[in-house]
Amino acid sequence: MTYHFDERLPRRGTYSEKWDLGRELFGDPDVLPLWVADMDFRCAPAIVQAVTERAKHGIYGYTSRPKEYLDAITGWMERRHEWKVDASWLTDTPGVVPALGVAVQILTEPGDRVILQSPVYNPFYDVIRNNGREIAENPLILEDGRYRMDYDHLESLMQGGAKLMLLCSPHNPGGRVWTREELELLGELCLKYEVKVVSDEIHGDLVFKEHRHVPFASLSEAHAGITITCAAPSKTFNIPGLSTAYTLISNGAIRKSFAERIKTLAIGSLNYFGPSATIAAYTQSEDWLDAVLDYIRGNRDFAISYLAEHLPAATPILPEGTYLLWVDYRALGWSKTQIKQVMYKEAKVAFTEGSVYGRDGEGFLRINLACPHSLLQEALERFCSAVKAHHV
Ligand SMILES: Cc1ncc(COP(=O)(O)O)c(C=O)c1O
């Protein structure tokens, strides 16, 4: 089937966080937004149809958890990720971030140290701090244009008593798809020091062809036994507004405690559209996903060569997965205030300024590549011209 990813669909005036908050967030309603991670593509036809059918019914009542929904998830994990999961491992959550928060609460006590690898998706900091836990930072090492984990420092944090690791796999930002060997090394340390793992795999399906996402819990039964895997069809199929996500936990005691906390917080009820959209996504939309990944790859390669030609002081990191391009602009020697001024006020584009992802993100920008090619080109042209105007 052919998809029209080049089409620029109007999103202003649709209560879109990305398109309708320009004035509040950047001081200009017309800023071109390439920041928050949703896609500017219409989702797969089977999903649109499933949601439309549900909407047409007209009674939007409490929603049950059909067997087809569970089968769709277990089937997807096996087919796409060679991971055999049991339907009983599943707990529904209204999002991956809420699941991260609940996981931190049940796996640690106030004051405990929780490891994250910076720079990282900002809610990782929030779910640790806002729950009264301490951040144990293991900065990623950027070497030859690629991030890697610092295992020595990681081990010292574990020796120092850290109880839990929040793993972002694939990693946002930076786009690393951790290899089996890297995850095995990490797992060895976690098993040795009895550190539990919360593996955020929301980007797990968004991986370019030469790479392979390995679910951390699929490494072995022992790894699965210490892990809460957080996943969702939301990022993959562009349905984050449907608030439908899930965790997979093979360890019965952890699962029980997780499910009990979800119940206590009363956040376990399913979105009316969630199961239908998930079933359509996981059982009828694989060709859309493959097509969108090819399109995003084209955008990725275009952006990298455009920046090399027009703004060589900005160095993009080649993403192996995700639809996010992480760009190192430190060679410009600009502060974050300067780059924001140029982005929002002069170029009128909104990429995400990197310090949002922690101190180690300062001097970087994150560009959302999941948009029509012409929009990406326009944003890059505006940005590069505005920067060049200061560098003549
Ligand atoms: C690593 C990561 N986790 C979680 C989320 C969001 O999850 P949710 O909207 O399901 O809470 C994102 C969104 O960008 C993300 O990048």
Side-chain angles (χ1 to χ4, degrees), residues 89-93 99-100 228-231 245-249 258:
W89 298 359
L90 264 153
T91 307
D92 303 307
T93 65
L100 299 178
I228 294 182
T229 304
C230 305
Y246 53 87
T247 53
L248 293 162
I249 312 171
F258 186 89

Side-chain angles (χ1 to χ4, degrees), residues 15-56:
Y15 306 142
S16 157
E17 185 176 343
K18 194 188 208 172
W19 284 87
D20 287 327
L21 298 185
R23 190 191 304 280
E24 287 96 311
L25 298 177
F26 312 113
D28 187 329
D30 296 324
V31 152
L32 274 188
L34 285 80
W35 61 285
V36 68
D38 70 17
M39 304 183 187
D40 290 323
F41 307 130
R42 184 174 286 121
C43 54
I47 301 176
V48 176
Q49 196 186 340
V51 169
T52 307
E53 286 304 316
R54 289 287 277 169
K56 274 194 209 150

Side-chain angles (χ1 to χ4, degrees), residues 37 94-98 100 121 124 168 170 172 200 202-203 232 234-235 240 245 324 366:
V96 163
V97 175
L100 299 178
Y121 180 58
F124 275 43
C168 194
N172 168 23
D200 176 340
I202 196 169
H203 294 278
S234 56
K235 202 70 45 186
L324 307 163
R366 196 191 76 171

Side-chain angles (χ1 to χ4, degrees), residues 13-251:
T14 64
Y15 306 142
S16 157
E17 185 176 343
K18 194 188 208 172
W19 284 87
D20 287 327
L21 298 185
R23 190 191 304 280
E24 287 96 311
L25 298 177
F26 312 113
D28 187 329
D30 296 324
V31 152
L32 274 188
L34 285 80
W35 61 285
V36 68
D38 70 17
M39 304 183 187
D40 290 323
F41 307 130
R42 184 174 286 121
C43 54
I47 301 176
V48 176
Q49 196 186 340
V51 169
T52 307
E53 286 304 316
R54 289 287 277 169
K56 274 194 209 150
H57 188 264
I59 301 177
Y60 308 132
Y62 293 116
T63 299
S64 70
R65 200 182 190 226
K67 181 171 182 305
E68 300 92 294
Y69 171 66
L70 304 179
D71 290 346
I73 295 172
T74 55
W76 181 260
M77 286 298 164
E78 184 160 10
R79 221 171 39 255
R80 272 320 264 205
H81 302 301
E82 293 171 16
W83 186 26
K84 256 189 168 327
V85 300
D86 196 282
S88 68
W89 298 359
L90 264 153
T91 307
D92 303 307
T93 65
V96 163
V97 175
L100 299 178
V102 171
V104 166
Q105 288 183 6
I106 62 145
L107 295 176
T108 59
E109 298 295 329
D112 279 349
R113 308 188 75 213
V114 181
I115 302 170
L116 55 69
Q117 306 201 93
S118 53
V120 72
Y121 180 58
N122 39 323
F124 275 43
Y125 295 89
D126 301 336
V127 296
I128 300 174
R129 276 197 204 112
N130 296 348
N131 282 303
R133 275 66 169 171
E134 301 274 322
I135 292 168
E137 208 160 7
N138 187 45
L140 293 171
I141 297 172
L142 183 56
E143 198 172 68
D144 301 326
R146 194 168 184 244
Y147 281 105
R148 65 175 175 81
M149 297 188 207
D150 183 343
Y151 293 102
D152 290 337
H153 190 246
L154 198 53
E155 183 158 21
S156 71
L157 294 174
M158 293 183 184
Q159 283 166 339
K163 292 279 185 310
L164 176 66
M165 162 113 194
L166 297 189
L167 174 67
C168 194
S169 178
H171 194 86
N172 168 23
R176 274 305 317 280
V177 175
W178 305 116
T179 62
R180 179 176 295 276
E181 291 69 31
E182 286 173 307
L183 294 171
E184 274 170 356
L185 278 173
L186 168 68
E188 226 171 84
L189 291 175
C190 294
L191 289 167
K192 178 169 171 191
Y193 293 98
E194 298 183 356
V195 170
K196 304 252 177 2
V197 177
V198 176
S199 191
D200 176 340
E201 304 191 5
I202 196 169
H203 294 278
D205 303 317
L206 295 163
V207 165
F208 300 115
K209 277 191 188 107
E210 326 46 34
H211 303 278
R212 179 143 203 100
H213 169 64
V214 178
F216 181 78
S218 73
L219 289 175
S220 77
E221 245 175 72
H223 292 84
I226 56 166
T227 305
I228 294 182
T229 304
C230 305
S234 56
K235 202 70 45 186
T236 315
F237 290 100
N238 203 27
I239 50 172
L242 298 185
S243 298
T244 300
Y246 53 87
T247 53
L248 293 162
I249 312 171
S250 70
N251 179 316

Side-chain angles (χ1 to χ4, degrees), residues 348-365:
K348 295 190 189 299
V349 297
F351 305 141
T352 309
E353 188 280 310
S355 69
V356 165
Y357 307 111
R359 255 193 332 260
D360 303 301
E362 198 151 337
F364 290 78
L365 292 172

